[in-house]
Amino acid sequence: MRQRLAVGNWKMHGSLPENQALLDKVAAASGRLSRAIAAVCVPFPYLAQARSALAGSKAAWGGQNVSQYPKGAFTGEVSAGMLREFGCRYVIVGHSERRQLFGEDDAAVALKAEAVLAQGMVPIVCVGETLAERERGVTEEVVGRQLGAVADRLGTEGLKASVLAYEPVWAIGTGKTATPDQAQAVHAYLRDALALRDRSVAAAMPILYGGSVKAANAVELFGRQDVDGGLIGGASLVAEEFISICQAADG
Ligand code: PEP
């Protein structure tokens, strides 16, 4: 059975007191999940706080980005080794905000995923099309290209230790969610594309959906055959919402 996950992406939100209340609730709720993992990917300065609040619970924590380089004169960057030192299990790579606002291309995303794996953590590799691309009918071509760049770099062994997230750009932070049918269709396409490389990797790969997931739509989205949970932005900042979404991922 595939691992089910609900991963919060806090983006650039939070403050020490707000985080503490949220993390304490996530820690308590994680113990009530039977098969899904609850995880939060927090801004770098809050990793120590996440570690101390979640250590000993069943919840995991991680980063939202990472340098492709192991160390050196890269002002403002954070290496995978540094994230590992703070107990991160997951690192998001290739989020559309990184691709669109900070110019990360497929090659950089692949190198970042490789850097995460080299430190024994799990990259959550994001792929997704813009609204213009969906309207042009090139969704599969776009997500196939994004996945292919990472898969070529990581190979079968690397893919086995990775998580994939389908996040249509037009659904992120917009309140517009892909319908369960739209999400399932792309997830199935991604799984088929993986199967052309390795059938067992395809069968075992958790593929998360992200894009305006809320407690109100999570059960239906996560009920689809190839949707193994979610990557959650805005709703992960509200404890009750995020915990309901974690329970939806638990099934
Ligand atoms: C995200 O940032 O990965 C995301 C899916 O955001 P939201 O849930 O707010 O759409």
Side-chain angles (χ1 to χ4, degrees):
M1 187 176 280
R2 283 193 291 274
Q3 180 64 58
R4 301 201 36 111
L5 287 152
V7 181
N9 171 17
W10 287 9
K11 311 197 188 198
M12 198 171 71
H13 293 291
S15 68
L16 290 171
E18 284 170 349
N19 303 346
Q20 198 59 46
L22 179 52
L23 289 166
D24 289 345
K25 289 181 187 167
V26 171
S30 69
R32 299 192 291 273
L33 301 175
S34 54
R35 61 175 178 140
I37 293 173
V40 290
C41 290
V42 304
F44 296 138
Y46 298 143
L47 281 172
Q49 185 186 26
R51 176 174 60 176
S52 76
L54 300 179
S57 81
K58 284 172 72 184
W61 59 96
Q64 302 170 11
N65 183 30
V66 67
S67 173
Q68 67 198 63
Y69 305 108
K71 64 174 162 180
F74 301 107
T75 301
E77 292 288 283
V78 170
S79 74
M82 294 170 188
L83 295 180
R84 187 178 46 77
E85 284 189 310
F86 280 84
C88 291
R89 190 187 307 170
Y90 298 101
V91 184
I92 298 170
V93 297
H95 190 281
S96 65
E97 288 154 15
R98 300 295 320 169
R99 292 180 190 260
Q100 292 199 318
L101 304 175
F102 300 98
E104 290 183 12
D105 61 13
D106 290 344
V109 174
L111 288 168
K112 285 174 183 231
E114 192 176 40
V116 171
L117 285 167
Q119 291 294 333
M121 300 176 292
V122 178
I124 299 176
V125 178
C126 299
V127 299
E129 82 288 4
T130 62
L131 184 58
E133 287 164 341
R134 176 161 281 263
E135 286 174 349
R136 281 210 315 280
V138 294
T139 296
E140 293 184 351
E141 196 181 305
V142 170
V143 298
R145 188 204 73 226
Q146 292 170 334
L147 172 61
V150 173
D152 287 348
R153 183 99 215 158
L154 302 188
T156 305
E157 285 310 305
L159 287 173
K160 267 187 201 157
S162 303
V163 167
L164 192 56
Y166 168 55
E167 297 210 306
V169 179
W170 47 272
I172 296 181
T174 59
K176 280 190 209 152
T177 315
T179 65
D181 283 350
Q182 285 173 321
Q184 168 58 28
V186 179
H187 283 229
Y189 173 79
L190 291 167
R191 206 176 296 290
D192 287 348
L194 286 167
L196 293 176
R197 293 170 182 267
D198 187 294
R199 295 181 73 82
S200 66
V201 166
M205 172 74 78
I207 308 181
L208 312 183
Y209 168 77
S212 298
V213 176
K214 307 177 202 52
N217 57 27
V219 171
E220 219 196 327
L221 282 160
F222 301 169
R224 293 305 165 111
Q225 193 184 335
D226 289 295
V227 182
D228 304 308
L231 181 55
I232 321 298
S236 73
L237 300 169
V238 182
E240 293 64 32
E241 275 284 310
F242 185 58
I243 289 165
S244 294
I245 293 167
C246 292
Q247 286 160 350
D250 208 33

